[in-house]
Amino acid sequence: YKPGKRKEILEMIEKNGYIKDYEVEIKRKDGKKLIVLETSHVRKDKNGNVVGYEGVLRDITEKKKMEEDLRKSEAKYKSIFENAVEGIYRLDRNGKIVEANRALEEFFGYSEEELKNMDLKQLYKNPEEREHFLDKLKKDGFLKHYEIEYVRKDGKIVIGNEYAVLVKEGDEEFIDGIIHDITELKKAQQEAEFYH
């Protein structure tokens, strides 16, 4: 136990008569640190005097390590998601935006909260294009290099080169996608064609 920790635990046991699943760090004889859940109670003699303590230690070191690794992985994913230069989204099976990163907010000109209350179809320049997008996605399970014209919040037309995939998580189905803004590229191509 860390210095002073054992005394603190014994005081808690004496005060309450027991402790249950109390998380504590201990050190093995070989120096390796373990994280355990301790469940202990006071042993008294027939006169009510404390004669000892009985308990069980359950090693949760690996579980805690896995939880920490998962937390780090989630933090890493969140950082990549938020700082990506491409617009990234997740739609539910009804087409509602569930998640959107900053690049997607900038692409559409809406905040994440505004986007979360919208169906992506509302942003299409040609809403009927949505059915074609969904049909192709359901048929193949994914889409790549799929160009879609969208209308930003300010009314400006923007063009996205889209990658999307159907994702199943348990009973739920999502569409995860990435939108690469090719508006300026398309504009440059049109100007080049005009001058030829």
Side-chain angles (χ1 to χ4, degrees):
Y1 293 92
K2 287 183 178 176
K5 195 65 175 175
R6 187 65 186 154
K7 183 175 184 239
E8 179 186 317
I9 290 170
L10 293 176
E11 287 172 358
M12 287 171 57
I13 296 171
E14 285 182 24
K15 179 181 174 194
N16 302 312
Y18 71 96
I19 57 168
K20 183 172 173 32
D21 291 336
Y22 185 81
E23 188 177 307
V24 64
E25 187 179 291
I26 61 172
K27 196 185 292 186
R28 286 191 336 190
K29 188 176 181 180
D30 63 6
K32 182 180 178 186
K33 290 182 181 177
L34 300 176
I35 300 170
V36 298
L37 290 180
E38 181 172 351
T39 298
S40 297
H41 64 270
V42 172
R43 281 189 62 218
K44 296 182 180 182
D45 64 16
K46 59 184 176 186
N47 298 320
N49 299 314
V50 175
V51 292
Y53 306 90
E54 284 184 328
V56 176
L57 299 177
R58 187 160 48 102
D59 185 356
I60 60 166
T61 309
E62 282 304 309
K63 179 178 181 272
K64 292 298 278 187
K65 184 182 178 315
M66 285 171 31
E67 287 172 356
E68 179 62 15
D69 289 348
L70 179 60
R71 188 195 62 73
K72 286 179 182 175
S73 177
E74 286 173 347
K76 182 178 173 183
Y77 163 77
K78 184 168 176 56
S79 176
I80 292 168
F81 178 80
E82 284 303 324
N83 297 307
V85 295
E86 308 289 359
I88 303 173
Y89 65 80
R90 170 168 271 195
L91 308 177
D92 67 13
R93 67 176 59 196
N94 300 314
K96 293 273 185 199
I97 297 171
V98 178
E99 288 184 61
N101 71 346
R102 282 189 213 121
L104 197 74
E105 291 177 51
E106 290 171 17
F107 181 71
F108 287 123
Y110 290 95
S111 70
E112 183 181 11
E113 282 310 306
E114 288 174 310
L115 287 170
K116 281 185 176 179
N117 292 315
M118 301 174 84
D119 185 318
L120 198 58
K121 179 170 72 175
Q122 294 171 258
L123 301 168
Y124 276 61
K125 179 182 173 192
N126 302 308
E128 63 276 1
E129 178 71 25
R130 179 70 172 160
E131 295 310 313
H132 186 260
F133 172 88
L134 289 175
D135 289 345
K136 189 159 176 40
L137 185 59
K138 285 176 182 170
K139 179 179 169 238
D140 300 335
F142 68 94
L143 287 173
K144 60 182 183 176
H145 301 300
Y146 193 88
E147 288 184 19
I148 302 173
E149 290 185 311
Y150 292 102
V151 182
R152 281 176 46 90
K153 186 176 184 178
D154 60 12
K156 180 183 171 190
I157 302 298
V158 287
I159 305 165
N161 186 9
E162 200 150 342
Y163 297 77
V165 63
L166 280 175
V167 178
K168 288 196 179 222
E169 290 181 5
D171 293 339
E172 295 191 81
E173 191 175 272
F174 299 99
I175 298 171
D176 286 349
I178 299 172
I179 298 177
H180 176 68
D181 185 354
I182 58 169
T183 310
E184 293 304 314
L185 175 66
K186 284 300 207 180
K187 187 177 171 185
Q189 286 174 345
Q190 289 169 353
E191 287 175 2
E193 287 171 12
F194 178 76
Y195 289 113
H196 280 98

